[in-house]
Amino acid sequence: MQLRYQFRAYPDADQRTALAQTFGCARVVYNDALRARETARADGEAFPKTDELSTRLITDAKKTAERSWLGEVSAVVLQQSLRDLEAAYRNFFDGLKGKRPKMGPPRFKSRKDHRQSVRFTANARWKITEQGKLSLPKIGEVKVKWSRPLPSTPSTVTLIKDAAGRYFASFVVKTDDEPFPETMADVGIDLGLGHFAVLSDGTKLSNPRFLRRAERKLKKAQRALSRKQKGAKNRVKARVRVARAHAKVTDARREFHHQLSTRIIRDNQAVYVEDLCVKGLGRTRLAKSVHDAGWSAFVAMLEYKAARYGRTFARVDRFLASSQTCSECWVVDGPKPLHVRTWTCSGCDTEHDRDVNASRIVLAAGRKLAGAREAES
């Protein structure tokens, strides 16, 4: 399995200047290549190949006065920029063919984008020094805060600058599966807003509501930004303060998701969740709360951790009437408005907690789905 390991990087002033130049050169090559391909498409000609673009936009361009500064950065970064454009086109056309979810065509990159990134491959001869610094060509040895060791030697590293002005070194590495000790427990999960998750054993996990809790601070920072004059240095500082406030919320939510998903995967041999239509719920009046909860990111963590640690994971049908079906006698008792949190089954007179009952229905449906898959195999 391939996993991404990301660590905070702390370049000094000279290295930040060199990185800014590297970001700019990669962006220019990307935009030049996109313009060349769009021009060919408009003229009814075949798309130029990546090798042809590399010769024209990098090798030959360095010899001109207008693009001579391309030679001041690593050539590998510029080559990878062309590879990124090629991948963007491939994903776009695969979406049109139905091979993957649809996405828009490649767009020109702006120097005003607040997130920038460049990738160094093994050809760039980057390395991690004995002192724990990241040595990059034409940039120098960048200080990195290693929060954990890398499980294997990575072949590439991506340097990222986010909207909050923070730098990260991102590695994609191959990892071996590390199965947890087997357990007999399995669990169904009902995701919600009142409680973030309700487990089939009756456990209710509160919703931290990170965005809601930080709204006052975010509004204050946003109002301060709106009062700054466009083009002024103080506006840039205010924008960074807003971005850092949002980044703090995002980091806290991600940490919560990681801790909870690891705990659930460690304690259960099989995990079943409902396949929610988050995109549709994001268009309702509950949109802010839905996005604040981050269900999609949490379920994605459960899925890849289950594969890594030897657990069973499955999504049950989103049209399953989990809130209407009695988990004791399986009578479908009809729809209930959201304010109804407890109800009594008309078939067996069992009183149910709405969320706990739903998680037990998800568990039963997940077990049935898992049994059907075993029968097929």
Side-chain angles (χ1 to χ4, degrees), residues 147-212:
S147 57
R148 51 183 171 169
L150 291 171
S152 61
T153 302
S155 59
T156 65
V157 58
T158 303
L159 259 292
I160 302 169
K161 181 185 178 183
D162 68 3
R166 303 177 300 177
Y167 292 85
F168 296 92
S170 179
F171 305 87
V172 175
V173 296
K174 290 184 178 180
T175 60
D176 296 327
D177 293 341
E178 303 173 2
F180 281 141
E182 290 192 9
T183 176
M184 298 302 294
D186 55 0
V187 68
I189 305 175
D190 178 64
L191 298 173
L193 297 177
H195 291 88
F196 177 78
V198 178
L199 309 185
S200 53
D201 61 4
T203 303
K204 294 186 177 181
L205 303 166
S206 60
N207 189 354
R209 296 185 174 89
F210 294 106
L211 180 62
R212 296 289 188 182

Side-chain angles (χ1 to χ4, degrees), residues 28-268:
V28 167
V29 170
Y30 183 96
N31 288 343
D32 287 347
L34 178 56
R35 189 176 297 107
R37 288 190 164 180
E38 288 301 301
T39 301
R41 182 185 64 82
D43 294 341
E45 300 174 356
F47 270 14
K49 302 295 184 181
T50 300
D51 292 341
E52 178 186 343
L53 292 174
S54 176
T55 302
R56 187 202 316 174
L57 302 179
I58 300 177
T59 307
D60 295 342
K62 289 179 182 180
K63 302 175 183 178
T64 66
E66 295 82 5
R67 291 283 193 267
S68 60
W69 35 264
L70 290 176
E72 298 176 8
V73 304
S74 172
V76 172
V77 169
L78 307 182
Q79 294 285 352
Q80 291 305 307
S81 190
L82 295 179
R83 298 286 183 271
D84 291 341
L85 177 63
E86 185 179 10
Y89 270 111
R90 184 168 57 251
N91 292 339
F92 169 63
F93 289 125
D94 285 347
L96 295 179
K97 296 175 183 177
K99 296 181 180 179
R100 56 168 294 140
K102 286 188 177 181
M103 60 185 302
R107 297 183 297 178
F108 289 99
K109 294 183 177 181
S110 171
R111 62 183 179 86
K112 295 182 180 180
D113 288 343
H114 300 310
R115 187 184 186 279
Q116 304 283 344
S117 65
V118 289
R119 186 166 65 256
F120 296 85
T121 63
N123 293 334
R125 297 182 180 178
W126 66 271
K127 64 179 181 178
I128 300 172
T129 67
E130 294 180 356
Q131 293 75 28
K133 293 186 177 181
L134 183 62
S135 179
L136 300 172
K138 298 191 178 182
I139 292 175
E141 295 183 356
V142 180
K143 181 182 177 182
V144 177
K145 185 176 181 181
W146 303 99
S147 57
R148 51 183 171 169
L150 291 171
S152 61
T153 302
S155 59
T156 65
V157 58
T158 303
L159 259 292
I160 302 169
K161 181 185 178 183
D162 68 3
R166 303 177 300 177
Y167 292 85
F168 296 92
S170 179
F171 305 87
V172 175
V173 296
K174 290 184 178 180
T175 60
D176 296 327
D177 293 341
E178 303 173 2
F180 281 141
E182 290 192 9
T183 176
M184 298 302 294
D186 55 0
V187 68
I189 305 175
D190 178 64
L191 298 173
L193 297 177
H195 291 88
F196 177 78
V198 178
L199 309 185
S200 53
D201 61 4
T203 303
K204 294 186 177 181
L205 303 166
S206 60
N207 189 354
R209 296 185 174 89
F210 294 106
L211 180 62
R212 296 289 188 182
R213 283 160 46 187
E215 270 187 326
R216 179 179 294 182
K217 185 176 182 179
L218 289 170
K219 286 179 180 178
K220 183 179 179 180
Q222 190 67 52
R223 282 197 299 267
L225 172 63
S226 66
R227 289 194 292 265
K228 300 297 185 290
Q229 184 178 357
K230 290 185 177 180
K233 290 184 178 180
N234 283 339
R235 183 177 178 86
V236 176
K237 295 178 183 178
R239 184 203 63 77
V240 172
R241 281 193 290 269
V242 172
R244 286 177 177 171
H246 279 286
K248 190 174 182 179
V249 172
T250 302
D251 292 344
R253 183 187 298 116
R254 186 186 299 113
E255 181 68 14
F256 168 73
H257 287 165
H258 270 298
Q259 291 182 357
L260 179 57
S261 59
T262 299
R263 192 178 83 190
I264 291 175
I265 291 296
R266 183 183 60 243
D267 295 343
N268 298 278

